Amino acid sequence: SEGVAMAEALKINSTLTFLDLLNNNLGERGGVAMAEALKVNSTLTTLYFYSNNLGERGGEMMAEVLKLNSTLSKLNISYNNLGERGGEAMAEALKVNSTLIYLDLSYNELGERGGEAMAEALKLNSTLTSLDLYSNNLGERGGIAMAEALKVNSTLTEVHLEENNLGERGGEAIAEALKVNSTLTELNLSNNELGERGGVAMTEALKVNSTLTTLYFY
């Protein structure tokens, strides 16, 4: 397949730094092959793997890469059906990875468990500056967990949490985190049904926070 062939090439190539494989439907087999290649490759810094139907196993394999690879700094793995297991695996990888600065996991159905796992990882990770979790159904629990992470994390500057059903309690928790966090400059919370309570809490937080420059919560 195209994915397997590309992976074999990456094992040998020693000059490529940027690779865009958007919307190629490489599937689990192609994803696993690509993961094996990235364990060996030492030059690639940016990989766009958008919409390739990796599934949970492909996500788990890509997570293993992040534990070993020391050159990749930007990874877009959105629209890949990673699911909760894939999300949890990526979270475990972020606990040890020290080179990734940009990660896009949008539209992967990580769920509450995936969101909670990601939050735990963000308490330990000290290199990631931009994280996109757009539309992952994190729910209230995931939102509250992410809020706890933002109280501790001191490297993230941009976080996207739109369309995650965070609800009022999730919104209130994030607002409390913004009173403490001093590194985040951009936060997107749009389409999360934050309600009146979430909106009021966010307004109060903005009276205290002095670093946020861009906030979406319509």
Side-chain angles (χ1 to χ4, degrees):
S1 74
E2 180 186 345
V4 174
M6 181 63 72
E8 288 304 309
L10 275 181
K11 289 179 181 178
I12 301 166
N13 183 281
S14 61
T15 52
L16 199 69
T17 59
F18 177 95
L19 179 59
D20 187 338
L21 288 170
L22 271 69
N23 208 26
N24 275 288
N25 199 31
L26 300 182
E28 186 181 282
R29 185 165 164 248
V32 169
M34 192 61 63
E36 288 301 315
L38 290 173
K39 288 178 182 178
V40 179
N41 180 280
S42 60
T43 54
L44 203 66
T45 59
T46 302
L47 175 61
Y48 289 157
F49 219 67
Y50 175 110
S51 192
N52 274 292
N53 200 29
L54 297 184
E56 289 190 333
R57 182 159 176 262
E60 287 172 325
M61 290 298 291
M62 288 300 290
E64 288 304 307
V65 168
L66 293 180
K67 290 179 181 178
L68 302 172
N69 183 285
S70 60
T71 51
L72 205 62
S73 62
K74 295 181 180 179
L75 176 63
N76 183 326
I77 199 171
S78 57
Y79 285 93
N80 271 295
N81 304 313
L82 301 187
E84 285 189 342
R85 273 175 46 205
E88 287 174 319
M90 291 297 289
E92 285 304 306
L94 285 180
K95 289 179 181 178
V96 293
N97 180 279
S98 60
T99 53
L100 207 64
I101 59 171
Y102 169 90
L103 177 61
D104 188 341
L105 286 168
S106 54
Y107 291 94
N108 270 301
E109 283 301 314
L110 303 186
E112 289 190 333
R113 278 175 52 201
E116 288 174 319
M118 195 62 61
E120 286 305 307
L122 293 177
K123 291 178 182 178
L124 300 174
N125 181 282
S126 60
T127 50
L128 201 67
T129 60
S130 179
L131 176 64
D132 195 336
L133 292 173
Y134 189 124
S135 194
N136 270 293
N137 201 27
L138 302 185
E140 256 186 17
R141 275 172 46 201
I144 292 168
M146 287 299 295
E148 289 304 307
L150 290 176
K151 288 179 181 177
V152 178
N153 182 283
S154 60
T155 52
L156 275 171
T157 58
E158 182 180 351
V159 176
H160 288 259
L161 292 171
E162 56 265 51
E163 289 187 21
N164 271 296
N165 304 312
L166 302 184
E168 287 191 335
R169 284 183 60 214
E172 287 176 315
I174 296 283
E176 285 304 306
L178 289 180
K179 292 179 180 177
V180 179
N181 182 283
S182 60
T183 51
L184 207 62
T185 59
E186 182 174 337
L187 176 63
N188 195 324
L189 293 170
S190 58
N191 298 318
N192 269 299
E193 298 180 5
L194 302 185
E196 186 178 337
R197 278 168 47 197
V200 170
M202 202 62 63
T203 303
E204 290 302 309
L206 291 177
K207 293 177 182 177
V208 179
N209 182 284
S210 60
T211 50
L212 206 65
T213 58
T214 305
L215 174 64
Y216 301 95
F217 69 103
Y218 52 84

